[in-house]
Amino acid sequence: MNTMLAHNDQLHPADDSADYSRATVPQRADQYGRHSPLLEIGQLAVRMEHYTRGLHRQSLQVISDLSLRVNAGEMVAIVGASGSGKSLLAQAILGILPANAAVSGKMTYAGEPLTPERQARLRGTELAFVPQSVASLNPLMKAGKQVRLAFRSQPEERIPDDSRSQRASRRYLLSSSALKSWRARLKVKRQAGEAQQSVFARYGLDPRVDRQYPHELSGGMARRVLVASALVHEARLIVADEPTPGLDQEVITETLRHLRERAGAGAAVLLITHDIQAAIRYADRVVVLYAGTTVEAALSEDFTGAGERLRHPYTKALWRALPENGFVPLPGVQPHPAALPPGCLFAPRCSMASPECRLERPLLRSWRAGEVRCIHAT
Amino acid sequence: MLLEAKRLGYRYNARWVLRQLDLTVRRGQILGLTGPSGTGKTTLARLLAGYGHPHEGEVLLNGQSLPAGGYHPVQLVFQHPETTLNPRWLLSQSASEGHAMDESLLDALGIEREWLRRWPSELSGGELQRIAILRALGPETRFLIADEMTAMLDALSQAQIWHAVLTLAEQRKLGLLVISHDHALLHRICHQVIHLEPINASRHKVEK
Amino acid sequence: MSKRFSSFRISSEPHPRTEDASKSASLRFRTLLSGGLALAALLILIGSGLLLDPERLLTAPDNRNLPPSWTYWFGTDWLGRDMLARTMKGLTLSIGIGMAAAMLSALVALALGLLAGTMGKQVDAAISWLIDLFLGVPHLVALILISFSLGGGAKGVLIGIALTHWPSLARLIRAEVLQLRSSEYVHISRRLGRGRWWIATRHFMPHLLPQLFVGAMLLFPHAILHEAALSFLGLGLPPHEPAIGIILSESMRYMSAGLWWLAFFPGLALLITVGLVDWLSRNVRRWLQPSAALPYMNKR
């Protein structure tokens, strides 16, 4: 903990006077850590308890000691294999982990602790989530309505909550508070309509799409509706699950471009993916996860050549395993969350591993304008 | 030995997704297949592996139609391993469903013995996909069709799995049809790559 | 989105042990205990009914119409018979018939559900029609007709209940089979050279067995209550058998005379027995299928 804090202080001498106004944020955060962090996660740990047949309890350490920082105006990619905890990280940030998850650690959003209450309040407005697949759209609701509904989920726009029995009474119907409630309702409806039109325009959706059901839309259009309903508010932090692979390349590219645009407009974007190529093409920084922990935070520019500028042996192996970079395999598999090794989580597969690697988990430390969790970092 | 698609046609209701398609895979050949979504790549894979019958044309194995029963010599590996494994079977059951388990194959694919005592929900996608591949590589398999086999996996698992499959394909002289949207992958592993065009699928162009 | 954290702590310790570990560990124990208690209670009930001294069922003219007391917990009837002994005996008989009928029903449901799901469209249509037919006729009417035509008695009741209770379970099994049949692992199994029977027993059964077991357990209370109803109406077991339905129907005649205990305790005992079986089945279900019984507990 201490090492990390010290490192952050170095990078942000005047952290408290954070300026989040969108106008001042440049198109691309060019230097690592130039802006104050919007979301900061330190030593996040998630343990899942679940039951197998016969009600044997199994405890899985799915995320351990995960640290991460995203600045306003920056797009950060979270890269990792399946089972590395990247989807659970997204759920932890949004506060939508299943009930059998126990979370500990530090999460700070805009300088204040991100508590479950705060997550619930901000979710859908300041905190947006773009799901992986268009299957998340409601198949029985017209596209326009889904977007309007997403807008109205904003808490402060919600209709004043009179108790149901009160609303039913005749006296209530004639009272001024009823009138106020109706006015508020109409206002919200109008605002939702306006928001929907502007977001449709922004994502190049034809006004006709408003009255179409998801199954009437092409894959690309449905994807745009998905993005539009997630981003109908000017979200400050966007968590995007990777667009389904095997999808039309153009549709994926378009989604990633939209996310990049939001970062350009001042939002902080977290892109969760296993596709390094997409990550480095669109993101400013890449955070690499392995077995539920951060092993490296690198600049996208570091992914070049034979990976000499990369810091962690796992990241290097990942880079060299790409079909265009040598297609070099690495024996072994990611450890199972029920049986994590005591030392460095990557040590069993690492060619550089020394005896001390197997004794103790290395700390995440800053290294060449990035971060790395390896005592042999290069 | 040849796996041939002859003037193949398939439609969903009135909409044709494949029409007049000719394709040949030889034993020992690694053929890539790519193209935009909706061009019937997956449909073609299913027809070649005997999942359903074409509305037009035929699939021939060595000049004869595909066998109706018994072990199918053309095996298909799907994109999502989660749906291809019975969730109520231990993985050892799934792994040995088509043929007796081959220890050397386990090692080649990097499958740890301990996984076999687990349920599918306890392993990650990359680990499950290895089991699915193991199951498809019975001694009677002559052709393997990989439909976006590693699209859900990270680069390391992808490289690991493909190295194992390519080695085996060479040892056993298997014919491989690799369907993918990843051009770098196709160029890395295939002898030849075919691009399917959306409207009339027979006019595909060949490169490399 | 009502998902919540089960615990959330802002702390600087890297790997705190979760405090609800002990609470969760006891779920296995609680389920075992709870299911074990229900099973034990049922076994005691059946055992005491079977091992009951037949003399306690004899008439004793001196002790007629006694209200509940420490000697006769459930009181005595108009012939001086101990109502506790009669109730125990009756419940044992009812449980036996209920169990047999529920198992027969489940077997019929499994057979028809499997046939409908695997033998093609025509068989499916025929079986679906049969299911609808049986579901369309009121339970009790069909039950009365069947058991009457079989000449009543234990056999009539048993077959009557078995033949009327399968349709909803068969429908469930059929739907499950249809879904399983279209799953990819079943398609793959075909291409691996596996036959229909092999797939039905190896791929389908592991999915169907828990359903079947739970279905049979849920059928059991129905079967008991319907057996009691039939006997109450005089169409079930012969009057000399101390079945719960007979006890209840006989006691009706004495209700106006103020002999409330004749109906109250046997009725309550029947209710408790049914409740015990339901309780047991819930625990067994949780044991076999934690993911279905505790849906939120098993996501990863």
PDB file of all heavy atoms in Angstrom, chain A residues 351-371:
ATOM      1  N   SER A 351      10.071 -18.087 -17.330  1.00  0.00           N
ATOM      2  CA  SER A 351      11.427 -18.568 -17.604  1.00  0.00           C
ATOM      3  C   SER A 351      12.449 -17.836 -16.733  1.00  0.00           C
ATOM      4  O   SER A 351      13.548 -18.327 -16.531  1.00  0.00           O
ATOM      5  CB  SER A 351      11.760 -18.356 -19.088  1.00  0.00           C
ATOM      6  OG  SER A 351      11.632 -16.993 -19.407  1.00  0.00           O
ATOM      7  N   MET A 352      12.060 -16.669 -16.203  1.00  0.00           N
ATOM      8  CA  MET A 352      12.998 -15.892 -15.398  1.00  0.00           C
ATOM      9  C   MET A 352      12.866 -16.194 -13.911  1.00  0.00           C
ATOM     10  O   MET A 352      13.585 -15.614 -13.092  1.00  0.00           O
ATOM     11  CB  MET A 352      12.752 -14.395 -15.606  1.00  0.00           C
ATOM     12  CG  MET A 352      12.997 -13.931 -17.025  1.00  0.00           C
ATOM     13  SD  MET A 352      12.198 -12.360 -17.337  1.00  0.00           S
ATOM     14  CE  MET A 352      13.329 -11.274 -16.498  1.00  0.00           C
ATOM     15  N   ALA A 353      11.920 -17.064 -13.553  1.00  0.00           N
ATOM     16  CA  ALA A 353      11.617 -17.250 -12.141  1.00  0.00           C
ATOM     17  C   ALA A 353      12.817 -17.759 -11.363  1.00  0.00           C
ATOM     18  O   ALA A 353      13.514 -18.669 -11.791  1.00  0.00           O
ATOM     19  CB  ALA A 353      10.454 -18.226 -11.984  1.00  0.00           C
ATOM     20  N   SER A 354      13.061 -17.149 -10.212  1.00  0.00           N
ATOM     21  CA  SER A 354      14.122 -17.582  -9.310  1.00  0.00           C
ATOM     22  C   SER A 354      13.464 -18.063  -8.023  1.00  0.00           C
ATOM     23  O   SER A 354      12.278 -17.841  -7.832  1.00  0.00           O
ATOM     24  CB  SER A 354      15.059 -16.400  -9.035  1.00  0.00           C
ATOM     25  OG  SER A 354      14.305 -15.320  -8.525  1.00  0.00           O
ATOM     26  N   PRO A 355      14.233 -18.722  -7.129  1.00  0.00           N
ATOM     27  CA  PRO A 355      13.604 -19.264  -5.908  1.00  0.00           C
ATOM     28  C   PRO A 355      12.801 -18.227  -5.123  1.00  0.00           C
ATOM     29  O   PRO A 355      11.751 -18.536  -4.590  1.00  0.00           O
ATOM     30  CB  PRO A 355      14.802 -19.767  -5.104  1.00  0.00           C
ATOM     31  CG  PRO A 355      15.831 -20.089  -6.124  1.00  0.00           C
ATOM     32  CD  PRO A 355      15.634 -19.126  -7.250  1.00  0.00           C
ATOM     33  N   GLU A 356      13.292 -16.977  -5.050  1.00  0.00           N
ATOM     34  CA  GLU A 356      12.562 -16.000  -4.230  1.00  0.00           C
ATOM     35  C   GLU A 356      11.208 -15.650  -4.836  1.00  0.00           C
ATOM     36  O   GLU A 356      10.312 -15.212  -4.136  1.00  0.00           O
ATOM     37  CB  GLU A 356      13.409 -14.742  -4.009  1.00  0.00           C
ATOM     38  CG  GLU A 356      13.757 -13.974  -5.265  1.00  0.00           C
ATOM     39  CD  GLU A 356      15.276 -13.799  -5.426  1.00  0.00           C
ATOM     40  OE1 GLU A 356      15.894 -14.718  -6.026  1.00  0.00           O
ATOM     41  OE2 GLU A 356      15.802 -12.783  -4.968  1.00  0.00           O
ATOM     42  N   CYS A 357      11.054 -15.854  -6.170  1.00  0.00           N
ATOM     43  CA  CYS A 357       9.767 -15.593  -6.822  1.00  0.00           C
ATOM     44  C   CYS A 357       8.687 -16.501  -6.267  1.00  0.00           C
ATOM     45  O   CYS A 357       7.509 -16.152  -6.268  1.00  0.00           O
ATOM     46  CB  CYS A 357       9.861 -15.829  -8.320  1.00  0.00           C
ATOM     47  SG  CYS A 357      10.912 -14.669  -9.172  1.00  0.00           S
ATOM     48  N   ARG A 358       9.098 -17.692  -5.848  1.00  0.00           N
ATOM     49  CA  ARG A 358       8.100 -18.659  -5.400  1.00  0.00           C
ATOM     50  C   ARG A 358       7.759 -18.505  -3.925  1.00  0.00           C
ATOM     51  O   ARG A 358       6.918 -19.213  -3.399  1.00  0.00           O
ATOM     52  CB  ARG A 358       8.614 -20.078  -5.649  1.00  0.00           C
ATOM     53  CG  ARG A 358       8.777 -20.377  -7.119  1.00  0.00           C
ATOM     54  CD  ARG A 358       9.455 -21.716  -7.351  1.00  0.00           C
ATOM     55  NE  ARG A 358      10.133 -21.747  -8.635  1.00  0.00           N
ATOM     56  CZ  ARG A 358       9.534 -21.962  -9.793  1.00  0.00           C
ATOM     57  NH1 ARG A 358       8.252 -22.176  -9.836  1.00  0.00           N
ATOM     58  NH2 ARG A 358      10.229 -21.962 -10.928  1.00  0.00           N
ATOM     59  N   LEU A 359       8.476 -17.601  -3.242  1.00  0.00           N
ATOM     60  CA  LEU A 359       8.248 -17.445  -1.812  1.00  0.00           C
ATOM     61  C   LEU A 359       7.194 -16.404  -1.505  1.00  0.00           C
ATOM     62  O   LEU A 359       6.336 -16.591  -0.654  1.00  0.00           O
ATOM     63  CB  LEU A 359       9.566 -17.046  -1.123  1.00  0.00           C
ATOM     64  CG  LEU A 359      10.633 -18.144  -1.102  1.00  0.00           C
ATOM     65  CD1 LEU A 359      11.912 -17.624  -0.483  1.00  0.00           C
ATOM     66  CD2 LEU A 359      10.112 -19.355  -0.324  1.00  0.00           C
ATOM     67  N   GLU A 360       7.256 -15.285  -2.204  1.00  0.00           N
ATOM     68  CA  GLU A 360       6.469 -14.138  -1.810  1.00  0.00           C
ATOM     69  C   GLU A 360       5.884 -13.467  -3.037  1.00  0.00           C
ATOM     70  O   GLU A 360       6.544 -13.403  -4.077  1.00  0.00           O
ATOM     71  CB  GLU A 360       7.397 -13.161  -1.070  1.00  0.00           C
ATOM     72  CG  GLU A 360       6.690 -12.182  -0.231  1.00  0.00           C
ATOM     73  CD  GLU A 360       7.676 -11.225   0.448  1.00  0.00           C
ATOM     74  OE1 GLU A 360       8.900 -11.403   0.311  1.00  0.00           O
ATOM     75  OE2 GLU A 360       7.193 -10.305   1.093  1.00  0.00           O
ATOM     76  N   ARG A 361       4.671 -12.939  -2.904  1.00  0.00           N
ATOM     77  CA  ARG A 361       4.086 -12.193  -4.025  1.00  0.00           C
ATOM     78  C   ARG A 361       4.824 -10.874  -4.175  1.00  0.00           C
ATOM     79  O   ARG A 361       4.931 -10.121  -3.216  1.00  0.00           O
ATOM     80  CB  ARG A 361       2.612 -11.884  -3.738  1.00  0.00           C
ATOM     81  CG  ARG A 361       1.765 -13.111  -3.596  1.00  0.00           C
ATOM     82  CD  ARG A 361       0.724 -13.257  -4.671  1.00  0.00           C
ATOM     83  NE  ARG A 361       0.188 -14.611  -4.583  1.00  0.00           N
ATOM     84  CZ  ARG A 361      -1.026 -14.887  -4.116  1.00  0.00           C
ATOM     85  NH1 ARG A 361      -1.839 -13.920  -3.776  1.00  0.00           N
ATOM     86  NH2 ARG A 361      -1.430 -16.128  -4.030  1.00  0.00           N
ATOM     87  N   PRO A 362       5.311 -10.585  -5.359  1.00  0.00           N
ATOM     88  CA  PRO A 362       5.968  -9.295  -5.543  1.00  0.00           C
ATOM     89  C   PRO A 362       4.950  -8.154  -5.481  1.00  0.00           C
ATOM     90  O   PRO A 362       3.772  -8.357  -5.770  1.00  0.00           O
ATOM     91  CB  PRO A 362       6.584  -9.402  -6.938  1.00  0.00           C
ATOM     92  CG  PRO A 362       6.027 -10.613  -7.568  1.00  0.00           C
ATOM     93  CD  PRO A 362       5.314 -11.423  -6.551  1.00  0.00           C
ATOM     94  N   LEU A 363       5.416  -6.966  -5.062  1.00  0.00           N
ATOM     95  CA  LEU A 363       4.535  -5.808  -5.003  1.00  0.00           C
ATOM     96  C   LEU A 363       4.495  -5.133  -6.366  1.00  0.00           C
ATOM     97  O   LEU A 363       5.422  -5.233  -7.160  1.00  0.00           O
ATOM     98  CB  LEU A 363       5.052  -4.809  -3.970  1.00  0.00           C
ATOM     99  CG  LEU A 363       4.963  -5.266  -2.516  1.00  0.00           C
ATOM    100  CD1 LEU A 363       5.721  -4.295  -1.632  1.00  0.00           C
ATOM    101  CD2 LEU A 363       3.511  -5.385  -2.099  1.00  0.00           C
ATOM    102  N   LEU A 364       3.414  -4.415  -6.586  1.00  0.00           N
ATOM    103  CA  LEU A 364       3.311  -3.636  -7.818  1.00  0.00           C
ATOM    104  C   LEU A 364       4.153  -2.385  -7.623  1.00  0.00           C
ATOM    105  O   LEU A 364       4.009  -1.677  -6.639  1.00  0.00           O
ATOM    106  CB  LEU A 364       1.844  -3.264  -8.057  1.00  0.00           C
ATOM    107  CG  LEU A 364       1.492  -2.704  -9.431  1.00  0.00           C
ATOM    108  CD1 LEU A 364       1.656  -3.773 -10.489  1.00  0.00           C
ATOM    109  CD2 LEU A 364       0.080  -2.163  -9.445  1.00  0.00           C
ATOM    110  N   ARG A 365       5.089  -2.133  -8.534  1.00  0.00           N
ATOM    111  CA  ARG A 365       5.924  -0.943  -8.360  1.00  0.00           C
ATOM    112  C   ARG A 365       5.992  -0.193  -9.666  1.00  0.00           C
ATOM    113  O   ARG A 365       5.790  -0.774 -10.737  1.00  0.00           O
ATOM    114  CB  ARG A 365       7.320  -1.341  -7.889  1.00  0.00           C
ATOM    115  CG  ARG A 365       7.959  -2.333  -8.834  1.00  0.00           C
ATOM    116  CD  ARG A 365       9.172  -2.987  -8.192  1.00  0.00           C
ATOM    117  NE  ARG A 365       9.683  -4.036  -9.075  1.00  0.00           N
ATOM    118  CZ  ARG A 365      10.959  -4.097  -9.478  1.00  0.00           C
ATOM    119  NH1 ARG A 365      11.825  -3.185  -9.102  1.00  0.00           N
ATOM    120  NH2 ARG A 365      11.353  -5.079 -10.249  1.00  0.00           N
ATOM    121  N   SER A 366       6.298   1.100  -9.573  1.00  0.00           N
ATOM    122  CA  SER A 366       6.380   1.885 -10.805  1.00  0.00           C
ATOM    123  C   SER A 366       7.708   1.588 -11.481  1.00  0.00           C
ATOM    124  O   SER A 366       8.728   1.364 -10.826  1.00  0.00           O
ATOM    125  CB  SER A 366       6.229   3.364 -10.501  1.00  0.00           C
ATOM    126  OG  SER A 366       7.234   3.752  -9.611  1.00  0.00           O
ATOM    127  N   TRP A 367       7.674   1.556 -12.771  1.00  0.00           N
ATOM    128  CA  TRP A 367       8.835   1.116 -13.528  1.00  0.00           C
ATOM    129  C   TRP A 367       8.744   1.723 -14.924  1.00  0.00           C
ATOM    130  O   TRP A 367       7.784   1.433 -15.639  1.00  0.00           O
ATOM    131  CB  TRP A 367       8.829  -0.419 -13.604  1.00  0.00           C
ATOM    132  CG  TRP A 367      10.087  -1.030 -14.123  1.00  0.00           C
ATOM    133  CD1 TRP A 367      10.323  -1.438 -15.400  1.00  0.00           C
ATOM    134  CD2 TRP A 367      11.265  -1.300 -13.393  1.00  0.00           C
ATOM    135  NE1 TRP A 367      11.574  -1.945 -15.511  1.00  0.00           N
ATOM    136  CE2 TRP A 367      12.194  -1.881 -14.295  1.00  0.00           C
ATOM    137  CE3 TRP A 367      11.644  -1.097 -12.060  1.00  0.00           C
ATOM    138  CZ2 TRP A 367      13.470  -2.258 -13.898  1.00  0.00           C
ATOM    139  CZ3 TRP A 367      12.917  -1.487 -11.685  1.00  0.00           C
ATOM    140  CH2 TRP A 367      13.823  -2.067 -12.604  1.00  0.00           C
ATOM    141  N   ARG A 368       9.677   2.518 -15.274  1.00  0.00           N
ATOM    142  CA  ARG A 368       9.715   3.137 -16.613  1.00  0.00           C
ATOM    143  C   ARG A 368       8.335   3.650 -17.042  1.00  0.00           C
ATOM    144  O   ARG A 368       7.737   3.141 -17.977  1.00  0.00           O
ATOM    145  CB  ARG A 368      10.220   2.128 -17.646  1.00  0.00           C
ATOM    146  CG  ARG A 368      11.722   1.842 -17.497  1.00  0.00           C
ATOM    147  CD  ARG A 368      12.267   1.179 -18.733  1.00  0.00           C
ATOM    148  NE  ARG A 368      11.930  -0.213 -18.854  1.00  0.00           N
ATOM    149  CZ  ARG A 368      11.087  -0.708 -19.744  1.00  0.00           C
ATOM    150  NH1 ARG A 368      10.512   0.102 -20.620  1.00  0.00           N
ATOM    151  NH2 ARG A 368      10.817  -1.989 -19.779  1.00  0.00           N
ATOM    152  N   ALA A 369       7.808   4.648 -16.354  1.00  0.00           N
ATOM    153  CA  ALA A 369       6.545   5.296 -16.714  1.00  0.00           C
ATOM    154  C   ALA A 369       5.388   4.313 -16.762  1.00  0.00           C
ATOM    155  O   ALA A 369       4.375   4.578 -17.403  1.00  0.00           O
ATOM    156  CB  ALA A 369       6.659   6.042 -18.037  1.00  0.00           C
ATOM    157  N   GLY A 370       5.547   3.211 -16.108  1.00  0.00           N
ATOM    158  CA  GLY A 370       4.434   2.268 -16.018  1.00  0.00           C
ATOM    159  C   GLY A 370       4.497   1.587 -14.671  1.00  0.00           C
ATOM    160  O   GLY A 370       5.163   2.077 -13.749  1.00  0.00           O
ATOM    161  N   GLU A 371       3.820   0.461 -14.567  1.00  0.00           N
ATOM    162  CA  GLU A 371       3.883  -0.282 -13.318  1.00  0.00           C
ATOM    163  C   GLU A 371       4.106  -1.749 -13.635  1.00  0.00           C
ATOM    164  O   GLU A 371       3.681  -2.238 -14.685  1.00  0.00           O
ATOM    165  CB  GLU A 371       2.578  -0.123 -12.537  1.00  0.00           C
ATOM    166  CG  GLU A 371       2.475   1.205 -11.830  1.00  0.00           C
ATOM    167  CD  GLU A 371       1.068   1.457 -11.313  1.00  0.00           C
ATOM    168  OE1 GLU A 371       0.106   1.267 -12.059  1.00  0.00           O
ATOM    169  OE2 GLU A 371       0.954   1.860 -10.151  1.00  0.00           O
TER     170      GLU A 371
END
